[in-house]
């Protein structure tokens, strides 16, 4: 089989993975935020509110100095705290193009059950990427408590999200130095340039 590299006129052999490479992250705001199921972060809206109490943590990378081919699994590691016994952690990776557009790249959600206030370290898988990010692109990583309506809202009580009748806000804290984004990246001078018909033979 063959794998198309999004944003580039290039095909790769199926199963191609780049080398794991951490991406530098700088916190923008919201290292402390409130995940409120009455006002969940929307899965169908990439705009970020700037007024009021933060509803998510925002981290960004510097602009890419050269094109980057992200091919393979992507993952986020966090060190974080929630003040409720049940908490969803939704990580959304967005590319901010040099022209100012926001383009969704990947999303991952994990549900954690910890004693309230206990700091925990954990990973959130974002699935696999196969795309070329142009020079000047920045990556925005959003950490939230909801990704609704694509994912049912966690009521933060430990009850079933579908039948829960009580919704609690959940205060979160993320240690910025404990947040890491890992992408698999192809070498800047790729060695595989065969056309698709050669790869498929």
């Amino acid at each position: 089989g063959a794998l198309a590299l999004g944003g580039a006129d290039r095909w790769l052999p199926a199963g191609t993975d780049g080398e794991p490479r951490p991406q530098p992250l700088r916190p923008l705001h919201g290292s402390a935020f409130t995940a409120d199921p009455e006002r969940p972060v929307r899965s169908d809206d990439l705009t970020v509110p700037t007024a009021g109490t933060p509803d998510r943590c925002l981290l960004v990378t510097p602009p890419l100095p050269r094109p980057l081919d992200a091919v393979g699994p992507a993952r986020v590691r966090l060190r974080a705290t929630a003040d409720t016994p049940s908490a969803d952690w939704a990580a959304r990776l967005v590319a901010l193009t040099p022209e100012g557009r926001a383009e969704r790249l990947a999303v991952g959600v994990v549900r954690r059950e910890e004693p309230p206030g206990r700091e925990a370290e954990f990973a959130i898988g974002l699935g696999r990427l196969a795309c070329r990010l142009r020079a000047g692109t920045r990556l925005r990583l959003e950490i939230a408590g909801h990704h609704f309506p694509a994912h049912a809202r966690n009521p933060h009580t430990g009850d079933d999200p579908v039948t829960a009748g009580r919704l609690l806000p959940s205060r979160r804290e993320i240690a910025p130095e404990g947040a890491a984004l890992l992408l698999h990246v192809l070498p800047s001078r790729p060695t595989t340039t065969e056309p698709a018909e050669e790869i498929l033979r």
Side-chain angles (χ1 to χ4, degrees):
L3 177 69
L5 187 66
D9 184 18
R10 185 177 172 202
W11 292 85
L12 303 166
T16 297
D17 274 351
E19 293 295 321
R21 185 185 301 173
Q23 302 301 306
L25 290 172
R26 176 173 64 88
L28 278 185
H29 80 166
S31 57
F33 68 93
T34 297
D36 187 348
E38 296 281 5
R39 298 190 305 275
V41 170
R42 304 272 314 178
S43 59
D44 53 2
D45 187 358
L46 294 182
T47 60
V48 177
T50 56
T53 302
D55 64 354
R56 71 198 83 182
C57 176
L58 287 181
L59 305 106
V60 295
T61 68
L64 294 172
R66 62 187 63 85
L68 181 147
D69 290 346
V71 180
R75 185 178 61 172
V76 174
R77 288 204 61 83
L78 294 178
R79 191 165 77 247
T81 306
D83 74 346
T84 48
S86 177
D88 286 0
W89 296 90
R92 180 163 67 185
L93 186 62
V94 174
L96 304 174
T97 70
E99 296 79 21
R101 292 193 312 274
E103 299 176 351
R104 185 192 324 266
L105 291 179
V107 174
V109 182
V110 297
R111 178 159 296 172
R112 303 278 304 177
E113 299 200 358
E114 308 275 355
R118 174 186 288 180
E119 186 176 70
E121 293 191 30
F122 54 94
I124 305 172
L126 301 179
R128 296 181 64 86
L129 297 178
C131 62
R132 172 167 293 169
L133 302 170
R134 292 183 294 139
T137 299
R138 292 180 298 146
L139 297 176
R140 183 178 79 200
L141 178 63
E142 303 174 36
I143 307 297
H146 302 97
H147 190 246
F148 178 80
H151 297 83
R153 297 172 298 173
N154 188 332
H156 302 138
T157 59
D159 298 329
D160 186 329
V162 177
T163 59
R166 186 168 61 109
L167 305 177
L168 296 178
S170 175
R171 288 181 294 278
R172 313 289 179 92
E173 288 191 26
I174 291 176
E177 69 278 5
L181 171 64
L182 184 71
L183 301 182
H184 282 67
V185 178
L186 294 182
S188 56
R189 289 186 174 273
T191 56
T192 303
T193 58
E194 296 93 331
E197 59 269 21
E198 293 296 326
I199 293 173
L200 288 168
R201 280 182 185 167

